[in-house]
Amino acid sequence: MTLINGVETDFKYAGIDRFDVNNGNGVGATLFVQGCSHHCKGCQNKSTWNKNGGYPFTQKVFDDLFKILSDPSISRFTLSGGDPLDNVEFSYFLCKNFKSSHPEKKLWIYTGYKYETIIQDAKYSNILKLCDVLVDGEFKIEEKDLRLQFRGSRNQRIIDVQKSMNEDKIILWKQKG
């Protein structure tokens, strides 16, 4: 167990990409959580599948991450993996701290789960309330397309979560500008 901001945790992460332009719009920081139940064929992050793998998420890692997120050139924070929704407590902890510190910045989450499933499950509601953009659906090797922006296969969708929740239907995210 590790103490982070006075809370005992055993959170694990696989890595942090500090100035990332691949996992969301603009320049952001991406944290790869440890643990994934999907095991997609052709996955580029197989090392993140084992929930017990990776590195302990310590107070120092938290402080370093949030220092990066405070940089004015960083416009978003992305949770990827593994699957952030297979790590609900860790993901919510990060999302809550991020949005309370930086409400003006965007939160992106990548998950193998479909939006229709997530929105029906109460354990995800607190995360969804904080999330701006959700890239949903398992990676499918037979639908892989390297020309796609911010996703790996054609079946995956980029969803504007707040608009979708407000309108009670899926609204795809559109890049501004």
Side-chain angles (χ1 to χ4, degrees):
M1 288 287 197
T2 303
L3 202 60
I4 302 174
N5 292 354
V7 176
E8 276 194 12
T9 73
D10 60 354
F11 299 147
K12 298 281 204 139
Y13 76 107
I16 296 173
D17 191 343
R18 298 174 187 284
F19 293 97
D20 173 46
V21 295
N22 296 315
N23 295 294
N25 196 38
V27 178
T30 298
L31 181 132
F32 297 90
V33 300
Q34 192 67 39
C36 183
S37 61
H38 304 290
H39 300 181
C40 300
K41 183 180 175 185
C43 174
Q44 66 178 4
N45 291 333
K46 284 183 182 179
S47 63
T48 66
W49 289 0
N50 182 346
K51 196 166 189 148
N52 297 315
Y55 310 99
F57 191 80
T58 63
Q59 183 69 53
K60 180 175 178 2
V61 175
F62 177 90
D63 293 342
D64 290 348
L65 174 63
F66 277 80
K67 183 177 181 186
I68 294 164
L69 293 170
S70 295
D71 185 315
S73 67
I74 298 294
S75 62
R76 81 171 145 76
F77 178 41
T78 299
L79 290 178
S80 191
D83 194 315
L85 298 186
D86 280 348
N87 299 279
V88 177
E89 298 83 11
F90 184 30
S91 295
Y92 178 65
F93 173 81
L94 291 170
C95 294
K96 183 180 77 168
N97 279 283
F98 172 68
K99 279 303 201 174
S100 66
S101 301
H102 305 289
E104 76 288 0
K105 297 186 180 190
K106 300 298 181 190
L107 175 64
W108 284 57
I109 296 176
Y110 281 76
T111 181
Y113 295 101
K114 301 288 276 179
Y115 179 83
E116 295 85 348
T117 303
I118 299 165
I119 197 74
Q120 298 299 321
D121 194 328
K123 73 179 175 182
Y124 303 123
S125 64
N126 288 331
I127 292 174
L128 285 178
K129 289 174 189 171
L130 300 170
C131 181
D132 296 294
V133 180
L134 183 81
V135 181
D136 82 335
E138 292 184 2
F139 171 76
K140 296 192 182 280
I141 190 78
E142 60 277 4
E143 295 191 47
K144 180 178 180 177
D145 187 341
L146 296 176
R147 297 167 295 182
L148 296 171
Q149 187 177 36
F150 308 133
R151 55 199 173 115
S153 57
R154 289 184 299 279
N155 63 296
Q156 295 172 312
R157 301 173 295 185
I158 305 173
I159 298 170
D160 185 318
V161 176
Q162 297 309 308
K163 283 184 181 176
S164 297
M165 289 173 59
N166 287 338
E167 297 187 30
D168 200 26
K169 65 179 183 178
I170 293 174
I171 308 291
L172 296 180
W173 174 83
K174 292 186 176 113
Q175 187 168 1
K176 293 178 176 114

